[in-house]
C-alpha cells in the first residue's frame, strides 16, 4: 500500500514540476563556436503575477537580456548567451512562478565547438631578434639630478667667491676721514648753506651748531662732549686749561660758554635771538674751533 502511495506522490510531483504548457524554453541553435552568441527564449502563457528566473548557468554566460515583451496574452523574455570554452553544456531547468505556482522549463543542451585552424595555410614568419625598449625620462633621471647638483654647486661658488666678494668691495667706504678741525669747518659751511635761521628755523640751527662744536671737542680733546651738559663741558675744559693740557685762552672758553648757554636758551627756553646775535654766535663758533687745541707735546730729540 505504501509503495502505491509513493508512486502516486512522485507522479503528482512530476506533473507539477515537469514539462508544462504554461512555460517553455527555446534556443535558436544548439551548435555554436567559441565566442559565438545565441538567444534563449522563455515564454509564459500568462502575463499577470509572473516571476521570471535569474539565469544560473555553467560553462555558458549571459551577456544581455532584452526587455520583457507581451504578445497575444503571452509573456516573452529573451537572453543573449555565449560560451568561451569548448564542450557540451546544459542550460538547466529554470523555475518560473506564475501566480505563486512554480513551473520548470526543459533543460537544453548546447555544444560549443572550437575553430579549426589549418596550419598549412598559416603564413610563417622568421623569429625576430630582441628589440631594445625605447629610452624614457626615468632612464636619465639620476644624471639629471647629478647635473642639477653640479650646477647648484658651481652657482654657489661663483656667487660666494666672485659676485659677493665684488659686492663687498664695492660697498666698502672709499672716503678718508677728515681731521677734527677740517671736519668741523666743513660742517659749519654746510650749515650756512642750509639757511635754517633765515627760514625761521632758529632752534634747528642752534642744535646743529652746538652739535658741531661738541663733536669737535669730543674728537680733538677726547672729551665725551656729546653726552655732557653745558656746565659739565665747561668745567672739564677749565680743569684742562688749569692743568695746561689744552692750548687755548680764557677768552676762547668765555665765548664757548656764552655760545652754549645761548643755544640752551633757544632750545629749551624758546629764546629768539636777533639776526646780528646769530651771526655773532656763528663767528664765535668758528673762533672756538680754531683756538681750542690740545697741548702740543715736544719730544726730547726736538729740544736737542
Amino acid at each position: 500500500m505504501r509503495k502505491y502511495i509513493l508512486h502516486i506522490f512522485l507522479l503528482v510531483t512530476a506533473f507539477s514540476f515537469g514539462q508544462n504548457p504554461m512555460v517553455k524554453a527555446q534556443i535558436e541553435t544548439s551548435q555554436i563556436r567559441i565566442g559565438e552568441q545565441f538567444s534563449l527564449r522563455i515564454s509564459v502563457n500568462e502575463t499577470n503575477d509572473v516571476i521570471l528566473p535569474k539565469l544560473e548557468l555553467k560553462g555558458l554566460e549571459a551577456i544581455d537580456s532584452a526587455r520583457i515583451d507581451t504578445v497575444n496574452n503571452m509573456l516573452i523574455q529573451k537572453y543573449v548567451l555565449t560560451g568561451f570554452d569548448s564542450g557540451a553544456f546544459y542550460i538547466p531547468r529554470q523555475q518560473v512562478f506564475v501566480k505563486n505556482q512554480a513551473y520548470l522549463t526543459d533543460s537544453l543542451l548546447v555544444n560549443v565547438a572550437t575553430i579549426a585552424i589549418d596550419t598549412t595555410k598559416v603564413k610563417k614568419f622568421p623569429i625576430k631578434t630582441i628589440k631594445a625598449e625605447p629610452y624614457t625620462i626615468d632612464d636619465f633621471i639620476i644624471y639629471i639630478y647629478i647635473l642639477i647638483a653640479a650646477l647648484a654647486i658651481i652657482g654657489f661658488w661663483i656667487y660666494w667667491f666672485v659676485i659677493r666678494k665684488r659686492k663687498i668691495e664695492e660697498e666698502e667706504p672709499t672716503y678718508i676721514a677728515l681731521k677734527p678741525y677740517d671736519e668741523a669747518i666743513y660742517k659749519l659751511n654746510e650749515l650756512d648753506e642750509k639757511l635754517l635761521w633765515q627760514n625761521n628755523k632758529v632752534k634747528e640751527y642752534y642744535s646743529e651748531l652746538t652739535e658741531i662744536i661738541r663733536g669737535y671737542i669730543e674728537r680733538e680733546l677726547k672729551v665725551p662732549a656729546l653726552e655732557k651738559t653745558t656746565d659739565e663741558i665747561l668745567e672739564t675744559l677749565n680743569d684742562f686749561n688749569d692743568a695746561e693740557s689744552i692750548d687755548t685762552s680764557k677768552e676762547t672758553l668765555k665765548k664757548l660758554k656764552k655760545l652754549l648757554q645761548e643755544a640752551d636758551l633757544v632750545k629749551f627756553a624758546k629764546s629768539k635771538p636777533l639776526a646780528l646775535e646769530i651771526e655773532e654766535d656763528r663767528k664765535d663758533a668758528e673762533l672756538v674751533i680754531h683756538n681750542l687745541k690740545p697741548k702740543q707735546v715736544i719730544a726730547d730729540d726736538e729740544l736737542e
Side-chain angles (χ1 to χ4, degrees):
M1 186 66 179
R2 292 180 179 177
K3 183 177 180 181
Y4 292 115
I5 294 173
L6 179 60
H7 286 172
I8 293 171
F9 176 77
L10 291 175
L11 289 173
V12 172
T13 304
F15 179 79
S16 299
F17 293 94
Q19 183 176 358
N20 194 293
M22 181 62 72
V23 296
K24 188 177 181 181
Q26 294 175 306
I27 54 175
E28 62 178 345
T29 181
S30 61
Q31 299 285 338
I32 66 169
R33 289 176 295 182
I34 289 177
E36 189 176 3
Q37 299 177 3
F38 66 99
S39 63
L40 166 66
R41 169 177 165 170
I42 296 178
S43 58
V44 183
N45 291 328
E46 181 62 57
T47 58
N48 297 323
D49 298 332
V50 177
I51 301 176
L52 293 173
K54 181 179 180 180
L55 293 183
E56 295 181 1
L57 305 172
K58 292 184 179 180
L60 300 174
E61 295 183 19
I63 59 176
D64 196 7
S65 60
R67 185 176 180 181
I68 297 175
D69 196 8
T70 303
V71 179
N72 296 329
N73 201 29
M74 180 182 293
L75 189 144
I76 299 173
Q77 173 70 68
K78 289 184 178 181
Y79 303 91
V80 179
L81 309 182
T82 188
F84 297 103
D85 293 321
S86 61
F89 303 99
Y90 277 97
I91 299 175
R93 303 173 74 183
Q94 305 297 317
Q95 190 174 29
V96 181
F97 287 91
V98 180
K99 296 181 178 180
N100 296 326
Q101 178 65 44
Y103 297 91
L104 291 175
T105 65
D106 291 335
S107 61
L108 303 171
L109 178 64
V110 178
N111 290 301
V112 181
T114 58
I115 301 174
I117 300 176
D118 188 357
T119 57
T120 60
K121 296 182 179 180
V122 176
K123 187 177 180 181
K124 296 182 180 180
F125 297 92
I127 298 175
K128 295 183 178 180
T129 59
I130 298 175
K131 185 178 180 180
E133 294 185 358
Y135 289 108
T136 63
I137 188 66
D138 292 335
D139 297 326
F140 304 96
I141 194 68
I142 185 64
Y143 302 104
I144 294 174
Y145 287 153
I146 294 174
L147 178 61
I148 293 173
L151 291 176
I153 294 173
I154 294 172
F156 176 80
W157 186 88
I158 293 174
Y159 169 77
W160 188 262
F161 294 101
V162 179
I163 299 176
R164 178 177 170 272
K165 185 178 180 181
R166 184 182 302 169
K167 186 177 180 181
I168 292 174
E169 290 176 354
E170 290 176 355
E171 292 178 352
E172 288 180 353
T174 56
Y175 62 86
I176 300 174
L178 297 174
K179 294 181 179 180
Y181 174 80
D182 296 333
E183 181 185 12
I185 297 300
Y186 176 79
K187 288 183 177 181
L188 285 177
N189 294 330
E190 278 191 334
L191 180 60
D192 294 338
E193 293 176 358
K194 292 180 181 179
L195 302 176
L196 292 177
W197 69 266
Q198 291 89 339
N199 291 289
N200 296 322
K201 296 181 180 180
V202 179
K203 182 177 179 180
E204 289 85 343
Y205 177 81
Y206 274 94
S207 295
E208 290 195 27
L209 183 65
T210 53
E211 186 176 350
I212 292 170
I213 296 173
R214 287 170 177 266
Y216 169 77
I217 294 172
E218 184 162 310
R219 287 194 62 197
E220 186 69 26
L221 304 180
K222 305 299 186 292
V223 176
L226 293 173
E227 302 173 1
K228 290 181 177 291
T229 63
T230 298
D231 293 337
E232 290 173 343
I233 293 173
L234 294 172
E235 182 179 356
T236 301
L237 294 180
N238 284 323
D239 291 340
F240 283 179
N241 192 39
D242 293 340
E244 296 183 355
S245 58
I246 58 175
D247 186 8
T248 188
S249 63
K250 293 288 186 179
E251 185 65 24
T252 300
L253 294 178
K254 184 177 179 181
K255 287 183 178 294
L256 175 61
K257 178 178 180 180
K258 174 180 173 297
L259 176 59
L260 294 177
Q261 289 177 344
E262 181 69 29
D264 289 340
L265 290 175
V266 173
K267 290 188 290 184
F268 304 114
K270 297 182 180 181
S271 175
K272 293 183 179 181
L274 300 175
L276 291 175
E277 294 174 334
I278 297 174
E279 291 176 353
E280 188 66 26
D281 289 336
R282 165 64 178 83
K283 293 178 182 179
D284 290 343
E286 187 168 349
L287 187 145
V288 169
I289 291 171
H290 183 75
N291 293 318
L292 191 59
K293 304 287 184 180
K295 193 75 172 181
Q296 295 293 329
V297 178
I298 301 175
D300 294 339
D301 54 353
E302 293 181 357
L303 294 175
E304 294 176 357

